[in-house]
Amino acid sequence: DLTPVEVEGIEAYAISGPPGLAVMSACLGAFGPIPDLVASGINAGINTGHSVIHSGTVGGALTARTFGTRGLAVSVGQSEPWQWETAATIARAAARWMLGDPQRPQVLNLNVPGVPLAQIEGIHWADLDEFGYFRVATAEHSEKKLQFVVGPDSSQSDPSTDTYLLDKNLVTVTPLSTVEPAPFPNIQASDIWSPGE
């Protein structure tokens, strides 16, 4: 479904589907010329560590790159109230910076602490944490429930990683690349399967 949405006089659309589908549609010309940059988010909750592979927000930014344009994934830490203006202010600056030079990274994962702008301690390049935001999963099979205990455990994170730095009220920026094939193993593919088996 494609639904027109009024956003302060700007033509906008809502799509019933994941962010990657919306980005793919835009990059295939559904809404006009291919965008110079896709801003995906602001996601309610951080996207840190290698768990970004499960993120629709990050997926949207990476989808943009597969179509030859830039992607910016933006997420903000949970807070009450949500600090949307803090994240939007930093996201606007990051978008301008990315568009300012063709040599700059093509995809950035930007995580903003859930605090007012005045409490942000700075911005830092960050490695991906070993896993990221989701720390524990438990399942009750009899009641068919799955529960995640969420929240960064920065005490066990490397100080160069996004989860650790966010806990220090630093905005984290991580350049990402699209999925590329890994080197082939030193075996024949027919060792996996061959016709007639």
Side-chain angles (χ1 to χ4, degrees), residues 114-132:
V115 298
L117 193 60
Q119 293 177 26
I120 297 289
E121 294 292 331
I123 187 167
H124 205 287
W125 294 113
D127 292 325
L128 292 176
D129 195 3
E130 182 178 346
F131 188 73

Side-chain angles (χ1 to χ4, degrees), residues 86-151:
T86 299
T89 298
I90 296 167
R92 283 189 295 269
R96 283 192 298 270
W97 179 82
M98 288 179 77
L99 291 170
D101 183 342
Q103 301 304 312
R104 291 188 178 149
Q106 298 295 301
V107 179
L108 288 181
N109 185 33
L110 179 74
N111 280 285
V112 180
V115 298
L117 193 60
Q119 293 177 26
I120 297 289
E121 294 292 331
I123 187 167
H124 205 287
W125 294 113
D127 292 325
L128 292 176
D129 195 3
E130 182 178 346
F131 188 73
Y133 191 52
F134 298 100
R135 290 289 173 184
V136 179
T138 59
E140 293 180 25
H141 299 288
S142 60
E143 296 185 31
K144 298 188 177 12
K145 289 196 305 188
L146 178 65
Q147 178 180 357
F148 285 96
V149 176
V150 295

Side-chain angles (χ1 to χ4, degrees), residues 6-148:
E6 190 65 29
V7 182
E8 297 178 16
I10 299 170
E11 186 177 352
Y13 295 90
I15 293 178
S16 296
L21 178 63
V23 173
M24 184 172 66
S25 301
C27 290
L28 290 172
F31 311 113
I34 294 174
D36 295 324
L37 180 138
V38 169
S40 185
I42 300 167
N43 186 68
I46 61 175
N47 276 301
T48 62
H50 287 89
S51 63
V52 296
I53 64 170
H54 309 295
S55 164
T57 302
V58 174
L62 290 170
T63 300
R65 182 66 190 114
T66 64
F67 283 93
T69 193
R70 294 170 186 229
L72 174 65
V74 184
S75 303
V76 64
Q78 187 173 352
S79 61
E80 183 56 50
W82 287 96
Q83 298 297 316
W84 302 116
E85 189 56 39
T86 299
T89 298
I90 296 167
R92 283 189 295 269
R96 283 192 298 270
W97 179 82
M98 288 179 77
L99 291 170
D101 183 342
Q103 301 304 312
R104 291 188 178 149
Q106 298 295 301
V107 179
L108 288 181
N109 185 33
L110 179 74
N111 280 285
V112 180
V115 298
L117 193 60
Q119 293 177 26
I120 297 289
E121 294 292 331
I123 187 167
H124 205 287
W125 294 113
D127 292 325
L128 292 176
D129 195 3
E130 182 178 346
F131 188 73
Y133 191 52
F134 298 100
R135 290 289 173 184
V136 179
T138 59
E140 293 180 25
H141 299 288
S142 60
E143 296 185 31
K144 298 188 177 12
K145 289 196 305 188
L146 178 65
Q147 178 180 357
F148 285 96

